[in-house]
Amino acid sequence: MAAGSAIQIPSRLPLLLTHEGVLLPGSTMRTSVDSPRNMQLVRSRLLKGTSLRSTIIGVIPNTSDPTSDCDDLPSLHRIGTAALAVQVVGSNWPKPHYTLLVTGLCRFQILQLLKEKPYPVAEVEQLDRLEQFTNQHKSEEELGELSEQFYKYAVQLVEMLDMSVPAVAKLRRLLDNLPREALPDILTSIIRTSNQEKLQILDAVRLEERFKMTIPLLVRQIEGLKLLQKTRKPKQDDDKRVVAIRPNRRINHIPSTTEDEEEEDHDDVVILEKKIRTSSMSEQALKVCLKEIKRLKKMPQSMPEYALTRNYLELMVELPWNKSTKDRLEIRAARILLDNDHYAMEKLKKRVLEYLAVRQLKNNLKGPILCFVGPPGVGKTSVGRSIAKTLGREFHRIALGGVCDQSDIRGHRRTYVGSMPGRIINGLKTVGVNNPVFLLDEVDKLGKSLQGDPAAALLEVLDPEQNHSFTDHYLNVAFDLSQVLFIATANTTATIPPALLDRMEIIQVPGYTQEEKIEIAHRHLIPKQLEQHGLTPQQIQIPQVTTLDIITRYTREAGVRSLDRKLGAICRAVAVKVAEGQHKETKPDRAEVAEGEDCKEHVTEDAKPESISDTADLALPPEMPILIDFHALKDILGPPMYEMEVSERLSQPGVAIGLAWTPLGGEIMFVEASRMDGEGQLTLTGQLGDVMKESAHLAISWLRSNAKRYQLTNASGSFDLLDNTDIHLHFPAGAVTKDGPSAGVTIVTCLASLFSGRLVCSDVAMTGEITLRGLVLPVGGIKDKVLAAHRAGLKRIIIPQRNEKDLEEIAANVRQDLTFVMASCLDEVLNAAFDGGFAVKPRADRLNSKL
């Protein structure tokens, strides 16, 4: 080592200039090289050298290498360390540089600088030799006393650390195996010292001086560790651990104190173990947690698995294994609360009240799994929150739209980096009870990817026969979900897998009628918008007639979201008027400053007409309350977006009105037909699906087969309707995809109008599937279709005879405004669609020949 006479360094050494740290003999240091001279030293000497001699360099501390080759070298530190380059690593980011790993050999003194370029080279004299120690005039006893004192402090310092750490155990062995003369340099480089203190140790060439300077540094470090043990809870530092970190790993010669025993009671691991034992988790979960806590106790905190295991145990403790809220089972109070929060929705309210009634009779009733299916904006999500409020339960919403990874439901296994539980377990941790109301929002918009199918993962969650032992991949133990009330929402059931749909109780949530929208607006929407915009009923009034105009002329939807936005726009416009009127009232009179100009302004303002839309009429505050009428609506919301165009569209033959169902609710649909000379082709436009195309072919085939009966001819008078005639059927709007069998009767009526030249009644809409025999088959979505016809102002609706039972779901006031025609065959459809019926040519009686 550095103290041996066998170490002979070259008399000429290349110099590496560094200012980041101080390299002492026997220690190792990693330094970055990016200056020109140091870079040239690495390239020319270390990288191209082939002998061991070429890897020995001189490290000069406290000296910066100039950033340019043209600059002169600064004054060099007199004492340096001869070092062996162990490793060289190069990199080009963020700029070209090398990283050197060097090990100190011995001290040297610069005698003469031989050259400065391309890198400095100096003639040196080796200082660390055994002859220096043996030829000292000091007595061996005095030097031995310093050596023993230094060794005593060094052993005391090392034994205060955790001997289970491999680096600490290796250092303890080095204290016994290394020569005493090498210990001051090695320990100085290990303990916490400043660069200036290390520089003083490097400059201390005499061994006695080195011992005397290092002993105070050891004492200071020992006192610091003692103070740390007394004032802080034992914990692990970056490179060492205090001795009393665990109660079962104690150094024998350090006596245990009362303070240490008190700190053990507050140890996080001990507290965590107490929480696990006192928690009410299942036997299986308790067994797993106790096994993991044993592993945690034996695991060093420096291991990455320590944090993962601890997070897992903390989650297991926080989960509500047996903690639940008590349900409010008063049916009368629940009915009042539901009626106050939501208007209409009788099916939903009835189902909630049924659940409360059964819960009164049976305490251990499993939570139902409901699925609210309906168009957007009808209150599916908000009614779930009201149900939780009614039952007195915690509420948690899980948005499933766009989820395409089954790990979002089941969680990740703990073997993966960044693993975490699924949304179900996370939700239970958030609410803190095991019987909340979980709202699975947009369950029809789940995706599927290479990470699995989340809809399939929901099968276990939403199955009442399985979810009592739901196993999350992260927990890896069963958790009981049977007391959770799951409510799913969807716009359509078409995209929900059949297996998942089978596990849920489907409750249809139809769109609102005009009357229901008016009630919802005046009970809920208008008060909410007034509160959000800082207005009062004394400042704005919106009559029901105005609300009806907004619903019919400015919105066309099944829900009330657009209506809510329009009411918000009205409130913002009124807020501007109110704020500007208050500003005018509080504005000081400036007549004294400019009386003539003020008079001119008043004259101009008085001459302006009064109107809520006139933004220049701000001289006087508006009269309160501001009444919103049709003219104010036009000024605020612009011209009406929707008009009643039914009579205009039916002003020529070949047009009929059908009814369609969409995820957003019912819609009316115009079917237009035209004919021209051609080769008997049927053209269909409007982005039609296969089923609707087949309905069109069915309709033309039935009309061709019954053309003589109804006296239907083409332009040339032939009963073959496609003879030299092309037919074009169009379904506006062309950008919307359409499909389904319910347009069959509408296509037949449209083509019958085209070939007969008669107009279809303007107030008639129809829906129904047809067959080649002329039968009318039932279809779905009757309620949404009827509401769409009612919104459009139609008066008569033709529906299949077998759909008469569906009319019971429609409100009585809507049924009173409409006339329903039940049709079982196409003859009845055509008679109801045309004024005066559709004449049928009587069949001539056949003559029985006697021949």
Side-chain angles (χ1 to χ4, degrees):
M1 291 296 294
S5 60
I7 297 179
Q8 295 295 331
I9 64 173
S11 59
R12 294 185 177 185
L13 284 180
L15 302 181
L16 180 72
L17 308 182
T18 176
H19 64 281
E20 296 178 352
V22 179
L23 178 66
L24 294 174
S27 64
T28 301
M29 182 179 73
R30 194 179 298 272
T31 181
S32 179
V33 172
D34 56 4
S35 57
R37 287 186 174 87
N38 287 344
M39 293 274 287
Q40 192 63 34
L41 167 64
V42 174
R43 294 193 185 104
S44 303
R45 177 85 175 189
L46 299 181
L47 297 182
K48 293 184 178 180
T50 58
S51 63
L52 179 63
R53 187 183 184 89
S54 64
T55 62
I56 299 177
I57 60 176
V59 179
I60 304 298
N62 201 27
T63 306
S64 298
D65 187 24
T67 57
S68 175
D69 291 336
C70 301
D71 297 337
D72 295 333
L73 279 178
S75 59
L76 303 179
H77 194 75
R78 186 176 59 89
I79 304 296
T81 305
L84 184 68
V86 179
Q87 186 185 53
V88 180
V89 179
S91 176
N92 287 324
W93 190 89
K95 62 179 181 178
H97 69 280
Y98 292 99
T99 301
L100 299 185
L101 181 64
V102 292
T103 299
L105 300 177
C106 64
R107 290 175 176 79
F108 68 83
Q109 180 180 1
I110 298 177
L111 300 180
Q112 182 183 359
L113 186 63
L114 300 179
K115 67 175 183 177
E116 296 185 4
K117 296 180 180 180
Y119 53 86
V121 178
E123 184 178 353
V124 300
E125 176 188 2
Q126 184 173 344
L127 298 179
D128 291 342
R129 295 190 179 97
L130 284 177
E131 290 80 5
Q132 288 185 345
F133 305 130
T134 58
N135 295 334
Q136 295 293 333
H137 295 288
K138 296 290 181 181
S139 64
E140 294 183 1
E141 295 181 359
E142 184 177 353
L143 189 59
E145 291 178 0
L146 283 174
S147 174
E148 288 297 329
Q149 185 181 7
F150 178 86
Y151 177 77
K152 175 184 176 183
Y153 283 122
V155 171
Q156 182 181 356
L157 174 63
V158 173
E159 289 186 345
M160 292 183 70
L161 306 177
D162 191 351
M163 297 299 292
S164 64
V165 179
V168 178
K170 183 178 180 181
L171 180 59
R172 180 65 184 87
R173 292 193 299 269
L174 287 177
L175 292 179
D176 296 332
N177 297 332
L178 288 178
R180 299 287 176 88
E181 294 82 1
L183 292 180
D185 290 332
I186 295 176
L187 284 179
T188 302
S189 63
I190 293 177
I191 64 177
R192 184 169 297 179
T193 54
S194 63
N195 285 342
Q196 188 63 31
E197 292 172 337
K198 291 180 180 178
L199 200 61
Q200 294 175 1
I201 299 297
L202 180 65
D203 292 340
V205 179
R206 297 171 59 242
L207 183 58
E208 176 193 1
E209 183 181 357
R210 216 177 300 159
F211 274 126
K212 289 182 178 180
M213 295 177 63
T214 312
I215 289 175
L217 300 179
L218 292 179
V219 174
R220 183 182 67 184
Q221 192 73 20
I222 292 172
E223 294 298 328
L225 287 178
K226 288 181 178 179
L227 183 63
L228 186 65
Q229 290 181 5
K230 292 181 180 180
T231 58
R232 293 185 181 178
K233 183 173 65 174
K235 65 178 183 178
Q236 179 185 6
D237 286 340
D238 293 338
D239 56 350
K240 58 185 179 292
R241 283 183 293 173
V242 184
V243 63
I245 191 167
R246 295 193 187 97
N248 60 349
R249 183 174 296 157
R250 206 177 266 283
I251 303 302
N252 294 330
H253 71 276
I254 298 181
S256 62
T257 61
T258 306
E259 294 179 357
D260 293 335
E261 295 175 356
E262 292 176 356
E263 289 175 357
E264 291 173 13
D265 296 335
H266 296 284
D267 190 7
D268 289 346
V269 179
V270 176
I271 295 176
L272 187 58
E273 184 178 6
K274 290 181 179 178
K275 289 181 178 179
I276 292 174
R277 294 185 181 277
T278 56
S279 64
S280 56
M281 62 180 66
S282 62
E283 293 183 4
Q284 180 187 6
L286 181 61
K287 183 178 179 180
V288 172
C289 288
L290 292 179
K291 181 180 178 181
E292 292 293 331
I293 200 72
K294 288 180 181 178
R295 292 181 61 245
L296 189 67
K297 288 180 179 179
K298 300 176 182 178
M299 196 183 302
Q301 290 190 8
S302 58
M303 290 182 62
E305 194 176 354
Y306 182 89
L308 298 178
T309 305
R310 180 164 179 167
N311 290 339
Y312 171 75
L313 293 174
E314 288 177 350
L315 174 66
M316 294 289 283
V317 170
E318 293 176 1
L319 286 178
W321 297 92
N322 281 328
K323 184 180 178 182
S324 59
T325 55
K326 187 177 180 180
D327 289 347
R328 289 201 296 260
L329 303 177
E330 297 180 5
I331 297 180
R332 182 175 299 177
R335 180 182 283 111
I336 294 174
L337 185 59
L338 288 174
D339 289 339
N340 291 337
D341 288 347
H342 294 275
Y343 184 76
M345 293 188 175
E346 299 302 329
K347 278 189 177 181
L348 296 184
K349 297 176 183 177
K350 179 182 177 183
R351 183 64 183 87
V352 175
L353 296 178
E354 288 173 354
Y355 173 75
L356 289 178
V358 178
R359 279 283 285 113
Q360 283 186 355
L361 303 177
K362 187 176 182 180
N363 292 329
N364 59 348
L365 177 66
K366 293 182 179 179
I369 291 139
L370 310 177
C371 182
F372 300 158
V373 180
V378 296
K380 299 184 297 296
T381 303
S382 60
V383 79
R385 186 175 284 105
S386 295
I387 290 174
K389 181 180 176 183
T390 302
L391 297 175
R393 293 190 179 189
E394 298 292 334
F395 177 80
H396 185 72
R397 175 179 171 270
I398 300 176
L400 296 179
V403 173
C404 57
D405 188 353
Q406 60 98 17
S407 297
D408 280 359
I409 308 298
R410 283 205 183 105
H412 302 79
R413 299 190 184 277
R414 285 191 290 140
T415 53
Y416 297 108
V417 177
S419 59
M420 58 188 298
R423 297 195 181 190
I424 303 296
I425 297 299
N426 260 334
L428 290 170
K429 174 187 172 184
T430 302
V431 297
V433 292
N434 65 355
N435 63 339
V437 174
F438 268 12
L439 183 73
L440 306 178
D441 214 1
E442 309 293 352
V443 75
D444 59 327
K445 297 175 181 60
L446 286 169
K448 185 187 295 186
S449 67
L450 296 176
Q451 286 75 32
D453 186 2
L458 279 175
L459 295 179
E460 181 183 3
V461 177
L462 299 182
D463 192 342
E465 302 300 327
Q466 299 180 26
N467 62 9
H468 64 276
S469 58
F470 170 70
T471 302
D472 187 274
H473 285 165
Y474 184 83
L475 295 186
N476 207 23
V477 293
F479 194 93
D480 187 7
L481 299 179
S482 60
Q483 299 303 316
V484 179
L485 175 57
F486 287 102
I487 298 177
T489 66
N491 297 131
T492 176
T493 58
T495 56
I496 303 177
L500 181 60
L501 194 64
D502 182 62
R503 284 162 167 78
M504 298 185 293
E505 179 181 345
I506 305 299
I507 299 179
Q508 295 289 339
V509 185
Y512 296 118
T513 63
Q514 291 182 1
E515 291 75 12
E516 291 173 344
K517 288 183 178 180
I518 293 174
E519 287 294 329
I520 292 171
H522 286 271
R523 290 189 183 190
H524 303 286
L525 301 184
I526 293 178
K528 182 188 74 172
Q529 291 292 343
L530 293 182
E531 182 181 359
Q532 290 180 355
H533 293 85
L535 299 173
T536 62
Q538 288 74 30
Q539 294 172 325
I540 178 176
Q541 284 187 1
I542 304 178
Q544 290 193 357
V545 177
T546 303
T547 307
L548 181 61
D549 283 339
I550 299 174
I551 294 170
T552 55
R553 292 174 175 265
Y554 291 92
T555 63
R556 186 65 59 86
E557 59 174 350
V560 291
R561 282 182 181 159
S562 294
L563 176 61
D564 193 27
R565 286 191 287 267
K566 300 299 181 184
L567 293 174
I570 294 173
C571 291
R572 289 193 297 272
V574 172
V576 171
K577 291 292 182 181
V578 172
E580 290 177 342
Q582 293 176 352
H583 175 69
K584 288 295 180 180
E585 286 180 340
T586 58
K587 189 174 180 180
D589 188 9
R590 295 181 297 174
E592 299 177 359
V593 181
E595 183 177 356
E597 294 179 1
D598 203 20
C599 293
K600 292 180 181 179
E601 292 176 0
H602 282 292
V603 171
T604 305
E605 291 163 357
D606 292 337
K608 294 179 181 178
E610 294 183 0
S611 173
I612 190 172
S613 63
D614 196 351
T615 56
D617 187 17
L618 301 176
L620 296 175
E623 296 182 0
M624 298 296 173
I626 297 177
L627 181 66
I628 305 299
D629 54 7
F630 175 73
H631 299 287
L633 274 186
K634 189 174 181 180
D635 293 335
I636 296 173
L637 302 180
M641 301 173 60
Y642 305 99
E643 293 292 345
M644 297 300 176
E645 54 180 356
V646 176
S647 58
E648 298 177 4
R649 296 285 287 269
L650 300 183
S651 59
Q652 62 182 9
V655 183
I657 302 176
L659 297 175
W661 180 91
T662 69
L664 305 180
E667 293 289 343
I668 64 171
M669 178 177 61
F670 293 93
V671 180
E672 302 173 352
S674 64
R675 62 182 177 180
M676 70 258 352
D677 293 340
E679 300 177 354
Q681 295 181 353
L682 175 63
T683 304
L684 303 172
T685 57
Q687 288 208 37
L688 308 182
D690 293 337
V691 178
M692 190 170 281
K693 291 178 181 178
E694 292 172 357
S695 297
H697 287 287
L698 277 173
I700 193 67
S701 297
W702 184 85
L703 284 175
R704 291 178 67 186
S705 63
N706 292 275
K708 289 184 179 180
R709 182 183 176 198
Y710 289 102
Q711 296 297 307
L712 301 178
T713 60
N714 58 11
S716 60
S718 173
F719 289 112
D720 187 359
L721 302 181
L722 293 181
D723 183 22
N724 297 325
T725 303
D726 287 348
I727 299 176
H728 188 168
L729 275 173
H730 179 61
F731 295 77
V736 181
T737 304
K738 310 167 191 68
D739 200 6
S742 61
V745 296
T746 312
I747 299 173
V748 170
T749 305
C750 176
L751 293 175
S753 171
L754 176 68
F755 289 110
S756 65
R758 300 178 58 187
L759 295 177
V760 180
C761 295
S762 298
D763 60 348
V764 174
M766 60 200 73
T767 183
E769 182 181 356
I770 61 172
T771 68
L772 276 177
R773 295 182 296 161
L775 301 179
V776 179
L777 301 182
V779 293
I782 291 296
K783 181 175 181 180
D784 289 328
K785 294 176 180 178
V786 170
L787 293 179
H790 185 258
R791 286 196 301 268
L794 300 173
K795 299 301 180 184
R796 279 194 298 165
I797 300 177
I798 303 173
I799 63 174
Q801 178 75 40
R802 291 161 62 181
N803 281 120
E804 185 177 4
K805 61 182 184 301
D806 298 322
L807 298 180
E808 298 178 0
E809 300 179 0
I810 302 172
N813 57 340
V814 176
R815 292 202 304 266
Q816 291 176 0
D817 294 341
L818 299 174
T819 301
F820 295 96
V821 178
M822 309 300 169
S824 59
C825 61
L826 286 175
D827 292 338
E828 298 175 0
V829 172
L830 295 177
N831 285 328
F834 294 91
D835 283 334
F838 204 73
V840 179
K841 181 180 178 181
R843 295 183 179 180
D845 296 335
R846 295 183 178 181
L847 298 176
N848 296 325
S849 176
K850 297 182 180 179
L851 297 178

